Amino acid sequence: MGLLSSYLKLNFLGLFKFLNSMNWFIVFFSLINLSMCIYEDQIGKFDWRQTYVGRIKFAQFDTVSTAKKLIVATEENVLAALHLKTGQVVWRHVFESASTGNIQLLHVSDKIVTVSGSNPYLVRGWDSGTGVLLWEWSLTLQDNDRADFSEWWVQQGLLVHMLPAFNSHIEVTMYNLLTGHNRGATSKLPAPWVNEGCVLTPPFYSCISGNVGAQRLLSLDVTSNVVQIISKPLFDYISLDIFEGNLRPLDANSAVPGFIIDDKKIVLIKNNDFELLSVNVADASASASIIDGSNGALLLQAWTDNTLGFSLVAHNVNTGQEVSELKCSDRNLRIPEAEIAAVMCTKTAKEQHACRILVNGADDAIHLMQQGGRVLWTREEALANVVAAEFVDLPVSETEAAIESEFDQKEGSIWAAFSRRLQTQFQQLQTLLHSFQHRDRTVENSSSNNLVRDYFNLHKILVLVTDVGKIIGMDNLSGEILWRRYEPSLDAESVAVFTRRTAWHPPYDAYLTIVGKHEETGNGLVISLNPINGELVGERVLELDARLLQCAMLHRADEEKLHGLAVLYEDESIQVFPVSSERLVEDMYIYVADRETAKVQGYALKYDGKSASAQKIWSVALGGAGSAGHRIVAAAARSRLERTHSPGRALADRSVLYKYTNPNLVLFLTEGPDPVHKEVVRAVAVDVASGAVAAAAAHRRARALPLAVHADNCLAYLYRSDKHRRLEIATMELYEGKERWLPAGAAFSSFASERAPAVQRQAYILPAGATAAAPTVTERSLTDRHVLLALTTGAIVEIPWAFLDPRRPAMPTAEQREEGLLPYAPELPLPADAVLNYNRTVHRVRALYTHPAGIESTSLVLATGLDLFYTRVAPSKTFDLLKDDFDYHLITIVLVALIAASYSTKYFASRKMLKMAWK
Amino acid sequence: MSLTKTNKKFKWALDFSQKSRASASDLPSPPGYSQAANANYSESSKETDSNLLLIKKLWDVALGPLKQVPMNLFIMYMAGNSISIFPIMMVGMLIVRPIKALFATQSTFKMVEGTQAAGQKFVYFIGNIVNILLALYKCQSMGLLPTHSSDWLAFEEPLTRVEHIGGGISML
């Protein structure tokens, strides 16, 4: 009875407690799971951000303020100040990415003046030290059509606006720089000789005009009150037989107005007259600029030769003598199409020149050099325009590779295995001793030596393909650039990157292929390289003979563990690289979606014993029949790396809701006009092997955003609802139902299943603008799934799929609550602690890339855009890792103390027993 | 009282000194005393009595588990189907005790020999089995038994694929 009563008491207590706290428990645990923020001391521990400004358009040295800076304005509509010693961004303003943010003029004096936008223009003054906006006024031109031909410059505190009317006249207007007050009316200068080839070298406007054979070189100071045209026959300066009509101004805010005729002769304008320089242009591609030197003006020229590398020469303008201390020639420095962006020279005590030269290359990299050609710093501004990124595994260390190869060899007698064992252990001992000897040296070049896989496979190499054609390999933990390769012929508009062999197969090296277009011909271009060191391998740089429709990587590897690359040409023929992999073409399907017509076509690849061929097997018009104007906005396939080890969801009644995990499913998002509802967005999930439509949804009066997420059986996409004027995110989940269609571990075939999955749909309001979206990917997809969204505010937020779950019921029953379904709420919460990049704003995120780490809990994230941001996320917390602040010392002390205590008590106990026995 | 004691003593002890006093025993028995009947009766009745007691006691032991069933049922009803520490402890006790008892069957029935030993053991065994079944039923109703396919979901082989795809938006 006593037992029973004690049972009952405890039980009543427990029951009561449980019933009371059950709901709170769910809420509490879900909250624990959902808070994802990091501690203050973890800032920068797992993540890094690199800020970029884009390709330099204008650059000027800020010589006025005490802290010397470089002020740049870029093609990405960014105004920034760079630190002169390190190249770091001191301050930065990111303007609108549309034409309203285009920077037309950068003028640096004691204040910085910019003209940005395109009719209306905004004239702004900035403080050069802090980047604070000082004044702003706007300016609207009457003649909107010709506004694009406007030229701007600042002269004696006045903003000069010049608008040429070809073959007619030039309009010049001057404004007060601070107020925008118009000093006088617009003056029209008659100039019937003005044409498209004219160049502006403030304040002179120069043209070559006249009939062939009798051209004249004309120049006009447009700001002077008196119209004075300098007109000279062209043959005074250049032989007319070989003249091609090319006129270009000197670069980098030349101290004396001047221009280069036909890449050969340099003509300066001095005292209202032309002056031909005795120094010829050193190279046709040379960039030239005039600077004020210690004794007279200097002509500075920089160019890159294919064999001789980068060269820089300086000549005295008056004497024509070469200035030796500025000269440099570096065979190893490759700056394609080097261009002098800005120069600043000061005189030292010994009448020497101390110069800082900013050189801009065609690969968007900027280099700051000092006299003699020493590069102080380099900024890879190409990274502001990353178009594709790939995470590549690192190879194992040599010792580990030796161990693996040892265990790989199955054949051989027991004695052979024993000797091999001894050998490898001897090697290991050697390397250990070696590492002790050279420890101090290895620390220095750790970056190159430490490129080995770590235990959790968190250390990888990021291969970034940029818009300009530069391919960059980057260490993902430090963000350090390991290698760079410039491929000027690569048109990276639509580029595909495949890791055709990972580094998991020693002795073979990793193999990465980039498929793009050739810049000039538009034919396919295949670049194969080793992603670890950036060296070309295999096909190297291969230009194909025809234009490409699409490409795919074969799923079966050859004997060298290399996956073949199949390219589908415009004429629907295929080619496989390497040719020996052709026989491995089997069960392979390629789909091609045409963006503009919203048509998707599927091809089956076959190998008939001699050659591989492609056969068109299906075609789907996603816009529907007879609905023109539909276009595909986004296509989202599952990640190639995704392996799903969770076949279903356990419900509250302990039955299983089986997922429809079709690995061949692709989500297409289209938008187009609709006769009734203005615009309509359609989301269609197509099995691209068979062409069957698995699920579809339509949203009326909406416009799609090019953001779609597809992982496992979860689909999500964004659209802008015109009806409600808000951004919405719609989600779909596909289920087979409570009965499974195939037994566990069976092979899924798109052609064998004729049943349609059950589709759950839901839409939520996103209270922010989004620019990129990606799902988290983990090793086995057992971890919760989160959706990462890059917002226009510069934040990257992590939304748990539980919030986006289309099964969220409006009024959850007890069972649904037990399952963990949250009640439906239309608006998605975006809490501040879900922001991955805390206060490190990343501007204009264009894409998010996710990759699984070696541990199940963690997914690696890279955000590209104007900035690069890398971090790692653990959607279900790091359940397979010890906490960051795990107290190793404490647990060691406790363990040691416990062991000591147990042994001492054992001793004392035995002594006491002995004493007792003698009593 | 002392007489019975000596009697009892006689029962087990051999008294060699009796011989000398044999002559004295020639005395006729008191009236109404029958030696044969007395000896026989007392011996047999005593034996059956203690046997009966033992059997009774052993039946009590054997039926013990079965008698616990209603109480267990009540406990189970009171514990509810929620998963929290006390119900789990109770269910653990419910399942562990009969199993322990089953293993201790031999020691429990060590002193028993006789006709009913098999039956008692059988009843005892059945009773414990019933208790275990009850506890299992409780586990089942609490959802602690991995009997559903959802319990084995994590161990399933993932699907493999037949077709492989590649491609995307046209590169033209």
Side-chain angles (χ1 to χ4, degrees):
Chain A
M1 200 54 209
L3 184 73
L4 183 70
S5 64
S6 73
Y7 266 4
L8 276 179
K9 234 188 243 168
L10 292 174
N11 180 47
F12 271 130
L13 208 69
L15 203 69
F16 183 66
K17 258 188 190 167
F18 186 78
L19 283 176
N20 244 342
S21 60
M22 197 175 73
N23 296 338
W24 293 113
F25 260 115
I26 293 173
V27 172
F28 184 56
F29 279 115
S30 61
L31 278 182
I32 281 186
N33 274 331
L34 302 183
S35 57
M36 294 154 287
C37 45
I38 58 171
Y39 290 101
E40 199 175 351
D41 59 342
Q42 286 177 314
I43 288 175
K45 197 165 183 183
F46 315 115
D47 57 86
W48 48 258
R49 179 185 68 162
Q50 292 176 357
T51 48
Y52 292 97
V53 293
R55 182 179 169 78
I56 306 294
K57 204 172 181 181
F58 308 109
Q60 275 189 49
F61 287 95
D62 169 28
T63 51
V64 180
S65 54
T66 46
K68 297 269 185 295
K69 283 185 296 293
L70 184 64
I71 311 294
V72 292
T74 69
E75 306 274 358
E76 296 295 316
N77 303 346
V78 174
L79 176 72
L82 305 179
H83 197 281
L84 205 56
K85 292 211 171 92
T86 60
Q88 296 288 315
V89 174
V90 180
W91 52 259
R92 183 175 68 161
H93 290 290
V94 181
F95 298 157
E96 300 90 327
S97 53
S99 65
T100 49
N102 278 349
I103 298 174
Q104 313 282 352
L105 170 75
L106 172 75
H107 176 82
V108 180
S109 53
D110 54 336
K111 299 279 182 288
I112 299 164
V113 178
T114 60
V115 176
S116 60
S118 61
N119 204 23
Y121 298 92
L122 281 174
V123 184
R124 290 170 170 137
W126 312 86
D127 182 74
S128 65
T130 57
V132 171
L133 180 67
L134 299 175
W135 75 82
E136 180 185 71
W137 51 272
S138 72
L139 172 65
T140 311
L141 297 183
Q142 301 295 325
D143 195 349
N144 196 25
D145 299 337
R146 288 193 301 135
D148 290 344
F149 300 107
S150 296
E151 301 274 6
W152 307 85
W153 71 96
V154 175
Q155 194 173 351
Q156 293 155 2
L158 293 169
L159 178 72
V160 185
H161 170 242
M162 189 198 80
L163 191 59
F166 297 135
N167 303 322
S168 156
H169 62 275
I170 303 170
E171 289 168 20
V172 179
T173 324
M174 293 199 228
Y175 303 90
N176 186 318
L177 199 54
L178 295 171
T179 59
H181 199 73
N182 196 341
R183 196 182 66 160
T186 302
S187 55
K188 277 190 183 174
L189 309 174
W193 38 272
V194 171
N195 55 39
E196 285 92 343
C198 296
V199 294
L200 175 79
T201 49
F204 291 94
Y205 195 59
S206 313
C207 295
I208 292 173
S209 180
N211 299 326
V212 177
Q215 289 116 321
R216 292 185 75 83
L217 189 61
L218 299 129
S219 218
L220 172 68
D221 181 353
V222 292
T223 53
S224 72
N225 295 327
V226 195
V227 180
Q228 280 184 316
I229 297 175
I230 317 165
S231 175
K232 290 279 169 70
L234 188 62
F235 57 78
D236 287 4
Y237 308 102
I238 192 160
S239 160
L240 290 182
D241 311 336
I242 49 165
F243 178 66
E244 287 166 3
N246 185 358
L247 203 63
R248 67 178 161 108
L250 295 176
D251 295 317
N253 302 305
S254 194
V256 183
F259 42 86
I260 302 171
I261 304 173
D262 222 4
D263 292 336
K264 287 188 186 72
K265 300 280 181 188
I266 301 170
V267 174
L268 304 182
I269 305 168
K270 271 185 181 171
N271 307 323
N272 267 337
D273 198 3
F274 296 127
E275 183 187 322
L276 182 68
L277 272 194
S278 55
V279 185
N280 278 352
V281 178
D283 188 275
S285 66
S287 158
S289 183
I290 305 277
I291 50 170
D292 282 324
S294 52
N295 31 9
L298 294 175
L299 170 72
L300 206 63
Q301 295 185 67
W303 71 97
T304 300
D305 191 271
N306 282 338
T307 51
L308 297 172
F310 176 76
S311 306
L312 181 78
V313 289
H315 292 91
N316 193 310
V317 170
N318 298 332
T319 61
Q321 273 176 342
E322 197 175 302
V323 183
S324 57
E325 68 254 29
L326 294 182
K327 184 185 166 68
C328 113
S329 180
D330 193 337
R331 212 170 265 276
N332 299 320
L333 190 62
R334 298 274 162 185
I335 306 172
E337 294 171 42
E339 181 194 324
I340 300 172
V343 189
M344 177 182 69
C345 275
T346 49
K347 283 162 244 173
T348 55
K350 287 177 275 175
E351 287 295 300
Q352 295 270 21
H353 292 98
C355 288
R356 295 284 181 275
I357 304 150
L358 187 74
V359 181
N360 194 4
D363 59 349
D364 287 7
I366 53 168
H367 313 263
L368 186 76
M369 293 182 180
Q370 64 180 30
Q371 69 282 6
R374 196 169 80 85
V375 177
L376 298 174
W377 50 257
T378 298
R379 284 180 67 89
E380 288 293 349
E381 291 302 339
L383 288 172
N385 269 311
V386 174
V387 288
E390 182 90 349
F391 288 80
V392 183
D393 287 345
L394 285 165
V396 289
S397 62
E398 277 175 33
T399 45
E400 276 182 62
I403 293 170
E404 271 182 28
S405 66
E406 187 198 330
F407 284 104
D408 273 353
Q409 291 165 348
K410 295 280 192 300
E411 75 280 0
S413 68
I414 191 163
W415 294 111
F418 183 64
S419 68
R420 217 157 43 219
R421 172 88 273 214
L422 286 181
Q423 255 176 18
T424 45
Q425 288 205 326
F426 181 66
Q427 274 172 9
Q428 283 170 26
L429 194 70
Q430 266 186 329
T431 46
L432 187 74
L433 291 175
H434 203 72
S435 68
F436 278 131
Q437 278 172 4
H438 301 281
R439 177 168 282 180
D440 47 341
R441 240 179 285 168
T442 47
V443 172
E444 282 170 24
N445 49 15
S446 56
S447 59
S448 55
N449 280 348
N450 278 348
L451 284 180
V452 287
R453 194 182 309 154
D454 59 343
Y455 190 66
F456 293 132
N457 203 1
L458 292 166
H459 193 185
K460 297 189 191 257
I461 283 189
L462 302 170
V463 177
L464 305 165
V465 184
T466 61
D467 192 33
V468 76
K470 197 155 199 185
I471 305 156
I472 288 173
M474 195 181 262
D475 188 321
N476 74 329
L477 294 185
S478 63
E480 184 190 356
I481 293 174
L482 300 171
W483 52 265
R484 55 202 100 189
R485 168 168 288 280
Y486 178 52
E487 295 292 344
S489 53
L490 176 67
D491 176 5
E493 186 197 348
S494 57
V495 68
V497 184
F498 301 102
T499 308
R500 286 170 62 192
R501 180 167 61 208
T502 59
W504 290 79
H505 310 287
Y508 302 114
D509 284 334
Y511 195 113
L512 182 118
T513 295
I514 297 159
V515 183
K517 275 199 292 192
H518 194 277
E519 185 77 55
E520 282 147 23
T521 59
N523 290 344
L525 186 72
V526 178
I527 300 166
S528 296
L529 42 83
N530 179 346
I532 312 299
N533 54 24
E535 278 159 18
L536 292 178
V537 288
E539 292 107 27
R540 304 180 75 84
V541 180
L542 180 69
E543 199 201 330
L544 304 175
D545 302 329
R547 302 211 295 165
L548 290 187
L549 266 182
Q550 255 305 332
C551 53
M553 190 170 70
L554 300 184
H555 60 281
R556 276 165 62 192
D558 62 5
E559 293 78 25
E560 294 186 341
K561 310 287 181 204
L562 182 70
H563 292 267
L565 177 78
V567 293
L568 182 67
Y569 287 113
E570 201 178 8
D571 59 354
E572 301 183 355
S573 64
I574 70 157
Q575 192 176 358
V576 179
F577 300 103
V579 182
S580 58
S581 287
E582 243 182 11
R583 63 196 161 76
L584 298 173
V585 173
E586 192 191 1
D587 289 330
M588 191 73 206
Y589 298 84
I590 289 185
Y591 70 96
V592 180
D594 190 28
R595 203 181 270 280
E596 296 307 323
T597 58
K599 257 191 189 156
V600 189
Q601 293 174 328
Y603 298 85
L605 307 193
K606 296 262 162 54
Y607 178 64
D608 57 3
K610 290 193 197 89
S611 64
S613 61
Q615 189 190 359
K616 190 152 106 183
I617 52 171
W618 57 266
S619 173
V620 173
L622 292 178
S627 59
H630 272 264
R631 55 188 293 273
I632 294 178
V633 180
R638 281 168 61 161
S639 164
R640 275 196 296 267
L641 304 150
E642 194 181 74
R643 259 165 265 128
T644 307
H645 283 251
S646 55
R649 277 174 76 152
L651 301 180
D653 62 352
R654 305 178 67 210
S655 59
V656 181
L657 189 59
Y658 285 99
K659 293 177 186 171
Y660 176 75
T661 45
N662 182 348
N664 304 329
L665 210 61
V666 175
L667 172 69
F668 292 101
L669 194 58
T670 69
E671 68 171 2
D674 189 88
V676 187
H677 306 288
K678 281 187 185 169
E679 272 163 328
V680 63
V681 171
R682 289 206 184 101
V684 190
V686 181
D687 184 318
V688 291
S690 64
V693 172
H699 304 273
R700 288 157 187 159
R701 290 189 67 186
R703 275 171 298 152
L705 261 65
L707 304 178
V709 172
H710 183 182
D712 202 358
N713 66 330
C714 311
L715 311 168
Y717 52 91
L718 283 98
Y719 58 90
R720 186 178 298 283
S721 169
D722 279 353
K723 193 173 166 190
H724 298 110
R725 292 169 189 276
R726 66 191 181 199
L727 211 60
E728 293 180 1
I729 179 164
T731 56
M732 280 199 257
E733 275 186 345
L734 311 178
Y735 287 102
E736 291 183 357
K738 291 201 174 182
E739 300 286 322
R740 65 186 326 159
W741 299 356
L742 293 167
F748 182 91
S749 171
S750 299
F751 295 95
S753 61
E754 60 277 354
R755 295 169 69 178
V759 185
Q760 304 270 349
R761 292 189 191 85
Q762 197 67 275
Y764 299 92
I765 303 166
L766 188 71
T771 58
T776 59
V777 184
T778 55
E779 182 91 346
R780 285 158 176 262
S781 303
L782 293 173
T783 311
D784 285 351
R785 195 174 298 288
H786 285 187
V787 173
L788 306 175
L789 281 182
L791 305 183
T792 45
T793 56
I796 301 167
V797 291
E798 207 178 349
I799 303 176
W801 186 260
F803 282 125
L804 297 170
D805 196 338
R807 296 181 61 238
R808 277 175 76 174
M811 294 291 286
T813 59
E815 279 198 336
Q816 284 170 327
R817 222 179 292 135
E818 196 179 332
E819 195 197 322
L821 289 180
L822 302 166
Y824 179 77
E827 191 160 334
L828 286 175
L830 295 177
D833 59 359
V835 176
L836 281 184
N837 53 339
Y838 39 102
N839 61 358
R840 295 185 168 182
T841 310
V842 281
H843 286 283
R844 290 192 207 146
V845 178
R846 233 164 268 137
L848 289 163
Y849 299 91
T850 52
H851 192 86
I855 40 176
E856 169 59 27
S857 65
T858 309
S859 179
L860 310 177
V861 181
L862 175 75
T864 63
L866 186 62
D867 300 335
L868 292 184
F869 181 77
Y870 166 86
T871 190
R872 62 192 214 206
V873 291
S876 301
K877 297 269 160 189
T878 49
F879 55 82
D880 47 6
L881 266 182
L882 285 180
K883 277 224 170 64
D884 212 35
D885 52 353
F886 184 79
D887 204 339
Y888 293 94
H889 299 290
L890 184 71
I891 202 157
T892 319
I893 289 165
V894 166
L895 267 180
V896 167
L898 277 176
I899 290 167
S902 61
Y903 272 97
S904 58
T905 46
K906 197 181 166 190
Y907 167 71
F908 284 122
S910 68
R911 225 172 61 165
K912 196 177 180 189
M913 290 287 278
L914 195 66
K915 273 183 184 166
M916 294 271 282
W918 277 107
K919 263 178 190 170
Chain B
M1 195 66 189
S2 64
L3 190 83
T4 51
K5 234 179 195 172
T6 45
N7 266 352
K8 208 158 197 178
K9 203 176 174 188
F10 284 152
K11 189 181 166 189
W12 299 108
L14 274 176
D15 196 357
F16 297 105
S17 63
Q18 247 183 350
K19 257 212 170 127
S20 60
R21 270 189 269 159
S23 55
S25 66
D26 288 344
L27 287 168
S29 299
Y33 177 77
S34 159
Q35 185 146 23
N38 186 23
N40 269 341
Y41 173 73
S42 71
E43 282 298 299
S44 67
S45 75
K46 270 198 176 152
E47 202 166 90
T48 46
D49 201 33
S50 67
N51 252 346
L52 270 177
L53 270 174
L54 197 65
I55 286 166
K56 213 178 157 194
K57 183 89 181 112
L58 283 170
W59 271 118
D60 267 357
V61 173
L63 286 171
L66 277 179
K67 280 180 186 163
Q68 273 181 358
V69 167
M71 194 179 79
N72 283 350
L73 277 173
F74 183 64
I75 292 171
M76 276 162 53
Y77 166 68
M78 292 310 292
N81 279 345
S82 58
I83 313 272
S84 58
I85 183 81
F86 294 112
I88 291 285
M89 267 163 56
M90 277 183 261
V91 170
M93 288 288 282
L94 282 180
I95 207 161
V96 164
R97 275 192 312 165
I99 288 173
K100 265 190 182 165
L102 275 184
F103 279 111
T105 311
Q106 281 305 326
S107 59
T108 315
F109 291 93
K110 207 159 55 184
M111 54 274 223
V112 190
E113 313 89 36
T115 50
Q116 286 172 319
Q120 284 166 350
K121 274 189 189 175
F122 182 69
V123 168
Y124 185 76
F125 178 73
I126 289 293
N128 278 319
I129 292 293
V130 166
N131 271 336
I132 291 176
L133 287 179
L134 268 181
L136 285 180
Y137 169 74
K138 183 68 191 167
C139 283
Q140 155 84 16
S141 58
M142 281 173 81
L144 292 177
L145 294 186
T147 49
H148 288 80
S149 52
S150 61
D151 299 316
W152 303 96
L153 212 57
F155 301 96
E156 274 185 13
E157 285 289 306
L159 280 182
T160 53
R161 57 197 287 180
V162 177
E163 295 91 5
H164 293 260
I165 58 158
I169 289 182
S170 169
M171 292 173 86
L172 283 180

